[in-house]
Amino acid sequence: MESTTTPYPTDVSIITTYRCQMRCKMCDIWENPTNKKEEITAKDLEILPNFKFVNITGGEPFVRNDLDEIVEVMSRKSERIVISTSGWHVNKIHKLAEKFPNIGIRVSIEGLSQKNDELRGRESSFDRGLKTLLGLQEMGVKDIGFGCTVSNKNSEDMLWLYRLSKSMGFEFATAAFHNSYYFHKNDNFIDNKDEVINNFHSLIESLMKENSPKSWFRAFFNLGLINYIRDGKRMLPCEAGSANFFIEPNGDVFPCNGLEERYWKESMGNIHECETFESLWNSKQANRVRDLVQTCPKNCWMVGTAAPVMKKYIKHPIKWVVKNKIKSLLGRPICIDKIPKCDVGQDPMQGDLRITNNEHIQSENKGTIQYVLPDEEIAQMLKDN
């Protein structure tokens, strides 16, 4: 172990599985599933420390028959747990919420009914997602809402989803689609930038008119998505592998899920191969990965890595929020042409989008399928019981 130690992270994302019943256009996880016999268990997660925030994700977490056991373990380690789901398994989700009424649920919905079902590759997926949220609301579950991944094809629908979520009292989270090892994609590029940016601008204007400070900071986050689409450097540094980390279904620990092999991709360790989490977190390999993060060429802006640094360097978002809330109250437009870049001592190489020498790797690996789900397992995943 190194002589210096890194403080424990505040946030963790647990990728429970890469199995998924959806057939999303912007994500090829479903073509690269994991073998359920090799996925981490609730017992494996006992090694983890306490957190401020836990995200349980996939693939589709609700294809796991032991998801309640995973939530049970993590509920002892964090007061806030949010599960990211397609919302397909309405009954399963409601049953879990009955057992854990303080759970958070974010249903991934990419547009209104027709657009959502087209992009997510399953008919009735919008209806199921909405049934899931309405049922949770009726049960009294508070931390619920939509999560929309914005692409070339749905930025206008994003605005309709925002209006729908607001009218129904749901949370509304956004992302711009990315390329990464996680999504198994290298062609997720927004080419109608003006249209998408204008729709994000409209969303920011609407968020700043709300009376909720949470909405104002979401406006700042969405400004970061505009900056990402424009290929700008991050507004705040990335501290993945320090403030947060991801656990793969096989137990590997990665700083984030935005890594691409054409740039770099290294694990910090594996929870199956360490006696304590501290020994993994402060290992030579983990420190090496943190060094790579400091000079990572990617300019990702995803909530998993943006939210922790927005909280850590809160004075910078606050400055933007106060200035632009005053503008909003005065009826003046929010400026998106001057994106604030907050210097907190980060390495100038971070997020510079430089080309590395590994660009051939992703194209060679693309399309390699390591495991194929049996037909009967796919049929079982589509069931809701």
Side-chain angles (χ1 to χ4, degrees):
M1 183 184 298
E2 298 289 312
S3 58
T4 58
T5 60
T6 300
Y8 279 167
T10 59
D11 296 21
V12 61
S13 293
I14 301 170
I15 307 171
T16 54
T17 181
Y18 282 137
R19 292 174 288 142
C20 186
Q21 77 288 337
M22 307 308 287
R23 298 294 181 260
C24 297
K25 301 294 188 294
M26 62 286 185
C27 170
D28 285 344
I29 280 177
W30 57 276
E31 288 191 304
N32 296 268
T34 41
N35 185 335
K36 62 182 179 181
K37 297 178 182 179
E38 299 173 358
E39 294 170 347
I40 49 176
T41 65
K43 184 177 180 181
D44 295 329
L45 300 175
E46 293 281 6
I47 197 172
L48 298 178
N50 294 336
F51 302 95
K52 291 183 179 179
F53 175 73
V54 173
N55 174 228
I56 295 176
T57 185
E60 172 53 70
F62 283 92
V63 303
R64 293 278 307 241
N65 294 324
D66 60 345
L67 186 59
D68 59 334
E69 297 174 21
I70 291 173
V71 173
E72 173 66 40
V73 169
M74 297 313 299
S75 66
R76 290 188 260 110
K77 298 179 180 292
S78 178
E79 292 185 0
R80 185 165 184 238
I81 299 174
V82 173
I83 302 178
S84 301
T85 174
S86 65
W88 181 269
H89 299 96
V90 183
N91 294 328
K92 286 183 179 180
I93 297 170
H94 291 168
K95 287 178 183 177
L96 186 75
E98 287 176 357
K99 189 173 182 179
F100 301 97
N102 293 325
I103 200 75
I105 299 290
R106 291 295 177 275
V107 174
S108 297
I109 294 182
E110 313 310 337
L112 299 181
S113 180
Q114 183 177 355
K115 180 61 66 176
N116 176 80
D117 291 2
E118 171 195 339
L119 292 178
R120 297 195 69 80
R122 289 287 185 195
E123 290 185 7
S124 79
S125 58
F126 179 87
D127 293 349
R128 286 176 180 245
L130 197 56
K131 285 179 183 177
T132 290
L133 290 172
L134 289 171
L136 291 169
Q137 188 178 57
E138 189 172 316
M139 293 167 62
V141 180
K142 303 296 185 184
D143 192 359
I144 57 176
F146 297 136
C148 178
T149 299
V150 180
S151 65
N152 296 322
K153 299 179 179 180
N154 67 339
S155 64
E156 181 181 355
D157 271 44
M158 168 188 71
L159 297 175
W160 290 109
L161 281 180
Y162 162 72
R163 296 180 186 112
L164 180 62
S165 67
K166 185 179 178 183
S167 69
M168 302 181 80
F170 296 155
E171 300 288 330
F172 184 67
T174 51
F177 73 170
H178 287 65
N179 296 309
S180 77
Y181 82 91
Y182 174 81
F183 300 111
H184 297 274
K185 295 288 285 186
N186 60 9
D187 58 357
N188 278 344
F189 295 105
I190 293 175
D191 48 28
N192 55 340
K193 291 186 177 184
D194 290 343
E195 177 185 352
V196 175
I197 287 171
N198 286 338
N199 285 324
F200 269 118
H201 192 186
S202 296
L203 177 62
I204 289 171
E205 295 277 6
S206 297
L207 289 167
M208 292 306 296
K209 289 176 183 176
E210 293 190 26
N211 295 323
S212 166
K214 182 186 288 187
S215 296
W216 308 339
F217 285 96
R218 282 184 178 148
F220 179 87
F221 173 79
N222 281 282
L223 184 70
L225 292 177
I226 290 176
N227 180 59
Y228 165 76
I229 293 167
R230 288 174 172 165
D231 292 331
K233 282 194 175 185
R234 287 172 57 114
M235 301 193 308
L236 288 165
C238 178
E239 296 188 356
S242 298
N244 67 283
F245 68 98
F246 280 71
I247 299 181
E248 287 272 294
N250 69 351
D252 276 337
V253 171
F254 283 97
C256 72
N257 67 338
L259 300 177
E260 291 183 73
E261 290 175 311
R262 66 187 180 121
Y263 292 115
W264 69 279
K265 180 191 173 190
E266 285 195 31
S267 167
M268 302 173 77
N270 189 296
I271 60 172
H272 295 303
E273 299 170 1
C274 60
E275 293 185 5
T276 65
F277 180 78
E278 182 181 6
S279 65
L280 184 156
W281 193 244
N282 290 294
S283 67
K284 184 177 180 180
Q285 177 59 19
N287 287 329
R288 169 180 161 76
V289 168
R290 280 188 277 269
D291 287 342
L292 290 170
V293 169
Q294 290 180 17
T295 58
C296 179
K298 296 197 68 177
N299 69 333
C300 308
W301 188 257
M302 294 182 280
V303 69
T305 51
V309 291
M310 283 177 61
K311 294 172 185 174
K312 181 176 179 179
Y313 304 109
I314 188 65
K315 69 177 183 179
H316 297 287
I318 284 179
K319 183 178 179 180
W320 183 90
V321 163
V322 170
K323 176 182 177 180
N324 286 280
K325 183 59 183 175
I326 293 172
K327 278 188 174 184
S328 181
L329 290 170
L330 295 173
R332 294 164 55 188
I334 307 298
C335 178
I336 61 169
D337 294 327
K338 294 182 179 179
I339 305 289
K341 300 295 193 298
C342 308
D343 184 0
V344 295
Q346 64 266 43
D347 194 302
M349 292 179 67
Q350 189 183 70
D352 64 5
L353 295 175
R354 66 191 181 278
I355 300 299
T356 70
N357 295 323
N358 298 323
E359 194 140 18
H360 65 284
I361 297 178
Q362 180 133 347
S363 61
E364 289 178 358
N365 288 346
K366 178 68 177 175
T368 301
I369 299 176
Q370 298 178 338
Y371 178 71
V372 177
L373 288 175
D375 290 342
E376 58 269 24
E377 188 170 349
I378 295 174
Q380 185 62 40
M381 286 180 0
L382 288 166
K383 295 181 179 179
D384 183 21
N385 49 39

